[in-house]
Amino acid sequence: MTMDGRVAQLVNAARQAQQAGRLDEAAQLMEQALALAPDDPRILNALGTIRLGLGQPQAAHGLFTRAAAADPGEPILWLNVARACRDMGDHGGEQEALDRVLAIDARHFVALIRKGHLAERRGEDSRAAALYGRAAAVAPPETQLPAELAALLAHGRDFASARQSAFGAVIDTAMAEAMQDRPPAETRRVRAAIDRMLGRRQIYANDCAAMHVPFLPADEFFDRSHFPWLDELETAAPAVRAELQDLLAHGDTGFAPYVQFPSGYPESKWSELDHSKRWSAYFLWRHGKRVDEHCARCPQTAALLDRLPLADHAGRAPTVFFSLLHPRTRIPPHTGVTNARSIVHLALIVPEGCGFRVGGETRQWVEGEAFVFDDTIEHEAWNDSDQLRAVLILDTWNPHIRADERALINHFFAAADTSGMDPFPEEH
């Protein structure tokens, strides 16, 4: 029998003894194999594993270190060095070995989770939370993890979450005095920035289907001070609501499904609402054209609209309509056409169980009150009640666009329309 054959025979016999729980016998057999192949990293590693099982971490550490020196690019060998160091209570050696793994693969899950656990044991809570977070971001499905690692991952997530909550409470207390006498408009951006850093919210960007005007603030809900005419709109809310209720009472045929795709349109998130009156609209203005018949049915609302600074993109805006969201209906997250405009909601009929989210902020409609938002930031709406929800929706210019810029934008759209090569044919 050749030496290689004898080594293989000894290794196989050692593994069988190890599996049967005869660790002393396994160690003796693997020592004999190592004597014949003293630099084989596989044998060194296997014998080190047996020595760990026998409660001999120092002996195991020497074997793992030799194995890693023989094959320094193999992460498992450095993980085993770290494991031996952990059993020896050698924090510095454990960290050095884990760093060797991460130098080979910066996204190595086991090294990250073990390094997080090491930081926690050393009382480095902030560092531990960050490492646990990095490990969770690259973790395989828990069903693919050994029980020990799955438990450590669950612990790491809980640890990081608790640490983040505790840190958030400290920051909230520290910031409370600095913010308490300031109006919400002055603190809103800083609050959002802090919440983003603490993982309590996302920051959303504009996603425009058509014209995207760059360099504008991507503001989810615009500050009310930009729209002093909202007071007039809200004062008229009872009259507007009365005209809507009259339309509903008489079953006006002007209400139509808001979502209407041509036949054969592929399945999408809108399919459930396609040609469904669960989300219905009654247009007073549509794509810059006044719907005279509908305005005649709502004379006070129409007169109000004539006094408001609506968007005026020729052939495109304004658009004004009563929006009906029927019971147990949700409008999926979506984005709009252009951030050149802002969208106004005047709440008219709002039962309990309704809500509206724009980006990272959720608001409730309050009957008789209005708010303005950027619909090119992801938004969604829901009516989880058993009653109808109704709002008046209209569009106005984005308040951050100057009058001279508005004129140039309208000039562009006019040129696009007269060219016969409309770049946004589905917009209007």
Side-chain angles (χ1 to χ4, degrees):
M1 179 182 296
T2 65
M3 184 186 300
D4 287 347
R6 178 60 178 158
V7 169
Q9 185 182 58
L10 289 166
V11 169
N12 288 335
R15 286 174 175 165
Q16 291 175 8
Q18 184 181 11
Q19 291 171 358
R22 302 190 305 273
L23 296 184
D24 286 327
E25 178 186 344
Q28 292 175 3
L29 291 166
M30 201 66 79
E31 288 282 8
Q32 295 176 40
L34 184 61
L36 297 174
D39 298 319
D40 190 317
R42 295 166 298 177
I43 298 175
L44 288 163
N45 186 62
L47 181 55
T49 302
I50 295 170
R51 291 298 179 195
L52 273 184
L54 287 167
Q56 301 168 0
Q58 289 184 325
H61 178 265
L63 292 161
F64 290 142
T65 300
R66 288 170 59 190
D71 187 5
E74 176 50 58
I76 190 65
L77 301 179
W78 292 110
L79 283 175
N80 284 342
V81 172
R83 178 184 172 190
C85 289
R86 182 167 68 253
D87 288 356
M88 294 163 56
D90 180 3
H91 291 166
E94 182 181 358
Q95 177 161 320
E96 183 179 350
L98 292 172
D99 285 341
R100 292 294 295 265
V101 178
L102 294 171
I104 298 168
D105 178 4
R107 295 169 56 85
H108 197 288
F109 164 69
V110 177
L112 288 169
I113 199 78
R114 290 296 186 192
K115 195 170 179 181
H117 192 222
L118 171 61
E120 181 185 354
R121 299 197 313 271
R122 298 175 83 167
E124 301 169 353
D125 289 355
S126 295
R127 191 159 176 262
L131 286 163
Y132 280 142
R134 287 174 58 194
V138 298
E142 291 188 35
T143 55
Q144 298 178 12
L145 291 175
E148 180 192 4
L149 285 179
L152 185 55
L153 175 60
H155 166 78
R157 283 173 169 154
D158 290 343
F159 182 92
S161 177
R163 178 68 182 175
Q164 196 79 326
S165 295
F167 181 54
V170 170
I171 293 299
D172 289 343
T173 299
M175 296 300 296
E177 183 176 353
M179 292 188 174
Q180 66 180 355
D181 295 326
R182 299 174 182 269
E186 291 185 8
T187 62
R188 182 166 168 260
R189 288 195 295 196
V190 175
R191 288 182 188 277
I194 292 171
D195 285 344
R196 170 64 182 82
M197 291 187 66
L198 295 176
R200 299 194 294 210
R201 67 158 290 163
Q202 291 179 260
I203 303 297
Y204 290 77
N206 300 102
D207 184 4
C208 306
M211 174 175 278
H212 183 180
V213 181
F215 319 131
L216 299 178
D219 208 347
E220 297 162 344
F221 288 91
F222 292 101
D223 188 83
R224 188 181 176 94
S225 63
H226 293 300
F227 311 94
W229 46 269
L230 289 182
D231 291 340
E232 181 180 3
L233 179 63
E234 291 173 340
T235 299
V240 175
R241 183 188 302 112
E243 292 187 333
L244 169 63
Q245 290 172 329
D246 184 65
L247 293 174
L248 296 172
H250 289 85
D252 197 288
T253 59
F255 288 97
Y258 184 82
V259 180
Q260 297 189 46
F261 289 121
S263 61
Y265 199 85
E267 287 287 318
S268 71
K269 62 185 176 183
W270 296 109
S271 297
E272 185 177 349
L273 292 174
D274 189 15
H275 288 84
S276 169
K277 287 195 172 184
R278 293 168 60 196
W279 182 19
S280 298
Y282 188 93
F283 287 94
L284 301 172
W285 284 77
R286 191 169 193 181
H287 303 317
K289 297 179 181 178
R290 191 176 190 271
V291 184
D292 292 333
E293 179 183 355
H294 290 180
C295 286
R297 291 280 286 111
C298 308
Q300 294 188 72
T301 303
L304 169 68
L305 297 176
D306 289 340
R307 299 192 300 271
L308 298 182
L310 304 179
D312 60 350
H313 306 299
R316 287 175 169 77
T319 292
V320 184
F321 60 99
F322 291 115
S323 172
L324 306 184
L325 197 59
H326 286 258
R328 306 297 171 184
T329 301
R330 286 183 166 251
I331 300 173
H334 63 287
T335 55
V337 173
T338 175
N339 65 336
R341 67 182 183 185
S342 307
I343 307 300
V344 183
H345 279 196
L346 174 64
L348 300 173
I349 302 172
V350 186
E352 293 290 330
C354 295
F356 187 68
R357 177 185 68 85
V358 182
E361 184 174 346
T362 298
R363 293 190 181 184
Q364 306 300 318
W365 291 285
V366 178
E367 291 184 2
E369 295 184 9
F371 57 65
V372 190
F373 68 98
D374 184 339
D375 78 328
T376 64
I377 296 174
E378 182 185 272
H379 58 287
E380 61 181 324
W382 56 91
N383 178 2
D384 292 338
S385 77
D386 295 318
Q387 300 173 283
L388 182 72
R389 183 237 63 180
V391 300
L392 178 70
I393 298 179
L394 55 95
D395 51 7
T396 185
W397 280 94
N398 185 312
H400 300 291
I401 296 178
R402 303 188 308 268
D404 59 315
E405 293 174 316
R406 296 177 187 179
L408 290 172
I409 289 171
N410 277 346
H411 188 81
F412 162 78
F413 281 123
D417 289 340
T418 58
S419 73
M421 298 184 292
D422 187 351
F424 314 120
E426 296 184 1
E427 184 191 338
H428 59 118

